[in-house]
Each structure stands twice: as C-alpha cells, then as structure tokens.
C-alpha cells in the first residue's frame, strides 16, 4: 500500500474498508450487477424478497457512499452505474440474464396500502356499492375522507363512484386509513430495478421492460413478411427452396394443361379435360337427331332420359296423323257413294 492509499484509508473505519472490498469482490465475481430502489418496502417484505432470490441472485444493501466508493475503484465501464445510485438503493448480483432478472423482479411486486403523505400513483377510484361495514362511526370516517357514504338496510353503502385522489396528489391520513379498510391498495411494492451492468454494457429499465408476447408476434410477422418477399422475387434459400420448387412445378403443370402439351405426367388430365369439354358440348345440343348412336351412349343419364322422352313423344304423335288421313279417305268414299 503506497503512502497516498495509506493516508486515504487511515481515516476510514475498518468495517467500511471491508464492506467496500466485499462489494468489489461481488462485482468482479458476477457478470450482471443491478441497481434497485427499495423505498417504501417494509423490512419484513424485504427479507422475504431476499429469501425468494436465494440461489438466483444476491441482494445486498449498503450505504450509497460505500457503493459509490466501491464503483470508483472498479473498471471504467462499470462506473457509469454511479449515476443510478440515489435515494434508498440495493445491489443485486447474479448470473441470470438481465432481461430475465427484470422480469423476475417485476413479477415479484405486490400491491400495498398507500401511506399518509404519499403521492397517488394514479387516479384512485372508490366504486359505488355496499361495504362489509356495520353502521356506526365508520360512516363519518368515510365522509371525512371524502368518500360519500350512508346506511341502507343495515349496511354502510358507498353512494357514488368517486375519484378520491388524482394522480400526483398527496393522500391524507384519513383517506389512507379508509382505503386500507376498504382493501384498496394503490401502491406497488417491490424491487425497482433502475439499471443493470451486463458484461460491459449498462442497460436501463425501460430497455429491459419488454412485452414478450408482442416481441414474439413482431418476430413472427417479420419472418412471414421476409418469406413472402423471398417467394415473390423468387429468391432461393434454405427456407424458400421447397416452396419455390413446388410453385415452379405447379406453374409448369398448369402451363402444360392450358397449352395441351401431351406430356406423360399430364396426359391423363388432358384426356379428362377433353372428355369434360366434349360432354359439355354434347349437352348443349338440343336436337337429339344430330347425335349419333355412339354419342348417345356417352350422354349423361339425365340427358339420355330427355332424348328418350323426346323420341317416345315423337312416336306417339305419328298415329294421330295417320288417323286423320284415314278419316279424310273415308269421307271421300262416302261422298262418292252419295253422288254415285
């Protein structure tokens, strides 16, 4: 230890020197170092959080001055964490991915009552309706807190839905107590991760706070768009080659069929198409006499029945015509006999 270091440390209590060294050792041991705010977290809940993180991360609470001194004696890239040290601060050391660490701490937050003198984090609303309170002084207490209440059918009822504190407004003691009794917990308590040092990079909380479902949806949408573009411009790649070959085969087959090219792979389809066209043509002929016997044999059943019906109808009309001729001949014979 040189003279300057000795002079600097002689006025620092030994426990502080040891604590600074412990912080530096943890920083060098873990690839991820987080700076988290712990204001308004009750000691009991803080201890529970420490236990919940056991085996995943180390949670350490030190004086800000000692943290700053430890960071000042570390590598330059981690010193940028100094700007996030303020208020009530805790250090988190872990091997966990920084995004997973943020998600873990965010999911561990719980709702808590708001204390008197605290600022409302958002518009605090008390809904109209019955409560579990029995009639008594509670009605006056609610009204004093700005909550409209009355007694109905032996129960205390909130008369109307009301915003009792707008975002940013200071909550009074009376309102704080009533909100707690109504089991309305506006505050969210938990480790507030401000920033993380991750293998040489400092990431702020807003970067770490990602919507995983939207992120996955955006990736899937981008992949689909890229695939469709590659198919449209016929760009061969491992992901598109099968689809491109299938499209090419389909287009070639359609071209061969539309151009009536007699290739072995499509000749059956060409014959089927020709037969279908021929049947459609036959079906459009109204005069059955125009069809030969060979064509009649391939007629659809309905058309064949129509032709047979027309033939039968034609044969039934012939005797009537013959009968009229015979009557005319008989009439002529009668006249001849009459006039001799």
């Amino acid at each position: 230890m040189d003279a300057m270091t000795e002079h600097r440390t002689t006025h620092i209590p030994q426990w502080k020197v040891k604590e600074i060294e412990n912080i530096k050792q943890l920083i060098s041991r873990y690839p991820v170092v987080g700076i988290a705010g712990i204001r308004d977290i009750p000691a009991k809940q803080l201890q529970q959080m420490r236990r919940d993180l056991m085996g995943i991360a180390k949670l350490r609470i030190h004086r800000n001055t000692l943290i700053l001194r430890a960071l000042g004696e570390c590598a330059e890239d981690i010193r940028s964490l100094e700007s996030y040290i303020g208020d009530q601060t805790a250090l988190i050391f872990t091997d966990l991915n920084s995004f997973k660490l943020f998600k873990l701490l965010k999911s561990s937050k719980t709702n808590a009552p708001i204390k008197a003198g605290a600022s409302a984090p958002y518009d605090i609303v008390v809904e109209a309706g019955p409560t579990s309170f029995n009639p008594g002084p509670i009605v006056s207490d609610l009204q004093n807190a700005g909550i409209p209440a009355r007694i109905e059918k032996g129960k205390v009822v909130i008369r109307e839905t009301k915003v009792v504190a707008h975002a940013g407004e200071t909550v009074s003691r009376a309102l704080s107590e009533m909100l707690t009794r109504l089991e309305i917990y506006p505050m969210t308590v938990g480790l507030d991760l401000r920033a993380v040092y991750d293998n040489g990079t400092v990431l702020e909380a807003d970067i770490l706070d990602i919507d995983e479902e939207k992120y996955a949806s955006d990736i899937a949408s981008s992949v689909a768009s890229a695939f469709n573009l590659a198919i449209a411009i016929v760009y061969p790649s491992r992901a598109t080659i099968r689809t491109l070959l299938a499209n090419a085969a389909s287009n070639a087959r359609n071209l061969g069929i539309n151009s009536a090219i007699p290739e072995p792979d499509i000749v059956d389809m060409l014959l089927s198409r020709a037969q279908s066209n021929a049947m459609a043509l036959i079906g459009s002929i109204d005069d059955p006499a125009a069809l030969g016997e060979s064509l009649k044999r391939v007629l659809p059943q309905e058309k064949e029945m129509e032709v047979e019906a027309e033939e039968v109808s034609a044969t039934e009309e012939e005797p009537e015509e013959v009968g009229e001729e015979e009557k005319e001949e008989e009439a002529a014979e009668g006249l001849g006999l009459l006039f001799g």
Side-chain angles (χ1 to χ4, degrees):
M1 182 180 294
D2 55 29
M4 184 178 296
T5 304
E6 184 177 0
H7 175 74
R8 186 179 62 195
T9 57
T10 51
H11 299 88
I12 301 176
Q14 188 61 35
W15 67 269
K16 289 186 177 181
V17 175
K18 184 176 181 181
E19 197 164 346
I20 291 170
E21 288 301 318
N22 287 338
I23 296 172
K24 290 166 59 178
Q25 288 178 8
L26 289 170
I27 289 174
S28 63
R29 186 184 308 169
Y30 289 92
V32 175
V33 179
I35 306 294
I38 57 173
R39 174 164 289 281
D40 296 329
I41 301 178
K44 184 177 180 180
Q45 282 185 277
L46 195 59
Q47 291 300 322
Q48 183 61 47
M49 292 175 187
R50 193 192 298 271
R51 285 192 292 270
D52 292 341
L53 290 173
M54 190 173 297
I56 301 173
K58 291 184 180 296
L59 178 65
R60 296 288 184 267
I61 300 173
H62 305 277
R63 293 184 179 181
N64 290 350
T65 54
L66 299 181
I67 297 174
L68 289 170
R69 184 179 288 273
L71 290 173
E73 296 178 10
C74 291
E76 186 175 354
D77 58 351
I78 199 174
R79 291 179 190 172
S80 56
L81 284 179
E82 294 175 348
S83 59
Y84 301 98
I85 306 298
D87 197 22
Q88 298 179 5
T89 302
L91 295 177
I92 301 174
F93 304 94
T94 182
D95 294 319
L96 200 64
N97 176 282
S98 55
F99 289 91
K100 291 183 178 179
L101 175 63
F102 183 90
K103 182 180 179 180
L104 175 65
L105 298 182
K106 185 177 180 179
S107 64
S108 67
K109 292 183 177 181
T110 58
N111 295 328
I114 189 168
K115 294 181 180 179
S119 297
Y122 50 83
D123 289 352
I124 302 175
V125 179
V126 176
E127 300 288 343
T131 70
S132 59
F133 303 133
N134 293 320
I138 187 67
V139 176
S140 297
D141 294 339
L142 287 167
Q143 291 175 345
N144 291 336
I147 303 172
R150 65 185 177 192
I151 298 174
E152 288 183 4
K153 298 180 180 180
K155 288 291 184 180
V156 177
V157 175
I158 308 299
R159 291 189 289 108
E160 60 181 276
T161 299
K162 184 179 179 182
V163 178
V164 293
H166 292 280
E169 291 182 352
T170 301
V171 175
S172 66
R173 181 175 297 278
L175 179 57
S176 170
E177 292 175 356
M178 286 302 100
L179 290 175
T180 301
R181 294 188 66 177
L182 289 168
E183 298 183 351
I184 298 175
Y185 305 131
M187 303 302 292
T188 301
V189 176
L191 294 171
D192 184 19
L193 193 63
R194 299 171 188 161
V196 170
Y197 172 83
D198 190 342
N199 290 303
T201 303
V202 175
L203 303 171
E204 294 186 348
D206 58 346
I207 296 176
L208 299 173
D209 189 11
I210 61 173
D211 186 337
E212 293 186 5
E213 291 185 3
K214 183 178 183 303
Y215 189 74
S217 176
D218 290 344
I219 291 177
S221 177
S222 298
V223 170
S225 297
F227 180 83
N228 291 337
L229 175 62
I231 295 300
I233 64 175
V234 195
Y235 181 81
S237 68
R238 181 178 297 180
T240 61
I241 191 64
R242 289 181 179 272
T243 303
L244 290 175
L245 291 175
N247 288 349
S250 178
N251 292 337
R253 182 170 57 253
N254 292 337
L255 176 62
I257 293 171
N258 293 330
S259 302
I261 301 174
E263 288 292 329
D265 293 339
I266 61 173
V267 68
D268 290 342
M269 298 182 68
L270 290 175
L271 292 174
S272 176
R273 189 174 187 182
Q275 182 180 9
S276 177
N277 292 338
M279 295 298 294
L281 178 61
I282 293 171
S284 65
I285 297 175
D286 296 329
D287 184 7
L291 301 175
E293 292 299 324
S294 60
L295 291 179
K296 289 180 181 180
R297 285 196 295 269
V298 297
L299 280 174
Q301 185 175 1
E302 294 82 358
K303 188 68 178 178
E304 187 175 354
M305 292 174 65
E306 291 177 4
V307 172
E308 291 177 355
E310 291 178 2
E311 291 177 348
V312 170
S313 177
T315 56
E316 289 177 351
E317 291 176 356
E318 291 176 359
E320 294 181 1
E321 294 177 359
V322 172
E324 291 177 357
E325 291 176 356
E326 290 177 352
K327 289 180 181 179
E328 292 177 356
E329 291 177 356
E330 290 177 355
E333 292 176 359
L335 289 173
L337 293 173
L338 181 60
F339 294 103

